[in-house]
Amino acid sequence: SPIAIAKTDFPKKFGIPKQPLLVENLFAELHFKKEFSRPEFFEGLEKGMAIWTIFLFHLHGNFSKPKVRPPALGGKKSHGVFSSRSPHRPNPIGLSLLILEEVIFTPHKNTIMRVRGADFTDGTPILDIKPYLAKFDSLAANNHTKEHWANAPQRPHLQVLWSDSAQQSIIDLKMTEHKILIADILKLDPRPPSQRNHLDKIFYLEFKNLQLSWIVIDEKITISFHSSGKEHMRIRSLRNSWFCRF
């Protein structure tokens, strides 16, 4: 049974970083149920502490295959699901290492925990919170552990470009403070590996109150106009209109 529900800026799965802390300035709020909101539950937690967040992949379907094709390997190689962090699991449980920002107590209301580095969708059920203890959780200095295949060199980040029209759109929506965060998300290349060769394909990302559409050309995410004169990158507010992970 969940102890809290996450409130994030991602209403859909697409575009969410495939690992926690890849975009450290992505914030989320964990809204705790009333029965878990008493201050005693949170004694000993402090700002800046790393915490393990255990949650449910609530938007994924039923488990069906014992092997997966991780995006970390370009979707070309398959591995057993137990050697991966795929959300498609017999029990769809996720584990993310996040940074605690603050715990907000309000009399007669649910406690809210703000964390950064989050990598889950809005509405994600949170099952538990545990402290990260480097003395026991880090094996960096242990010579007896074998290197995991996912630690292989990753693809370089993409360059994110903004056209004049896209710049003006985000100014008009009074959301210029989110430009760096949007670029940090898109430079990780959220496209499914199977679609990275579709050079003319338009991709969409819903983030905060925005809907973004973009293409990738020459390893650059281009926020621009289509050659026909129509906008190839469109930004519009979702306030009044609601239009992959390793």
Side-chain angles (χ1 to χ4, degrees), residues 31-227:
H31 290 241
F32 285 78
K33 292 182 177 180
K34 186 166 292 186
E35 59 265 40
F36 303 114
S37 289
R38 298 199 311 273
E40 301 96 291
F41 280 103
F42 305 89
E43 288 182 5
L45 291 176
E46 298 179 11
K47 176 182 173 65
M49 283 185 172
I51 56 173
W52 292 111
T53 307
I54 304 167
F55 61 93
L56 285 177
F57 291 110
H58 66 299
L59 296 181
H60 292 271
N62 295 329
F63 170 76
S64 60
K65 297 180 180 179
K67 300 188 76 174
V68 295
R69 295 181 178 272
L73 300 179
K76 298 178 181 179
K77 297 181 180 180
S78 62
H79 283 275
V81 68
F82 295 142
S83 76
S84 81
R85 295 187 179 182
S86 168
H88 304 284
R89 321 186 66 79
N91 292 305
I93 296 174
L95 177 68
S96 290
L97 184 63
L98 307 177
I99 305 300
L100 175 61
E101 276 297 300
E102 63 177 326
V103 179
I104 304 169
F105 300 106
T106 305
H108 311 299
K109 291 186 178 181
N110 295 28
T111 293
I112 297 174
M113 176 183 288
R114 293 189 72 242
V115 294
R116 55 187 170 91
D119 60 339
F120 33 70
T121 57
D122 188 53
T124 293
I126 306 300
L127 300 179
D128 203 359
I129 300 291
K130 296 185 178 184
Y132 169 82
L133 303 176
K135 180 178 179 179
F136 305 107
D137 294 340
S138 175
L139 297 178
N142 189 331
N143 295 325
H144 301 291
T145 58
K146 183 174 178 61
E147 188 81 358
H148 191 274
W149 49 263
N151 288 328
Q154 300 297 300
R155 298 175 68 247
H157 290 166
L158 302 183
Q159 184 179 357
V160 180
L161 306 177
W162 295 75
S163 70
D164 291 341
S165 61
Q167 296 263 26
Q168 189 59 52
S169 294
I170 204 165
I171 290 172
D172 292 343
L173 293 169
K174 296 180 173 59
M175 300 190 76
T176 53
E177 71 272 17
H178 300 310
K179 278 186 60 180
I180 294 177
L181 190 54
I182 290 170
D184 285 344
I185 294 168
L186 291 180
K187 74 181 183 182
L188 298 175
D189 194 359
R191 297 174 298 167
S194 61
Q195 299 184 29
R196 287 175 182 163
N197 293 325
H198 297 179
L199 301 182
D200 295 327
K201 184 175 177 61
I202 301 175
F203 295 89
Y204 298 89
L205 170 69
E206 291 187 13
F207 176 71
K208 289 187 180 289
N209 292 314
L210 298 176
Q211 182 191 66
L212 311 175
S213 56
W214 43 275
I215 58 172
V216 180
I217 300 175
D218 296 331
E219 297 301 303
K220 298 177 182 178
I221 288 184
T222 306
I223 303 173
S224 63
F225 283 102
H226 190 272
S227 58

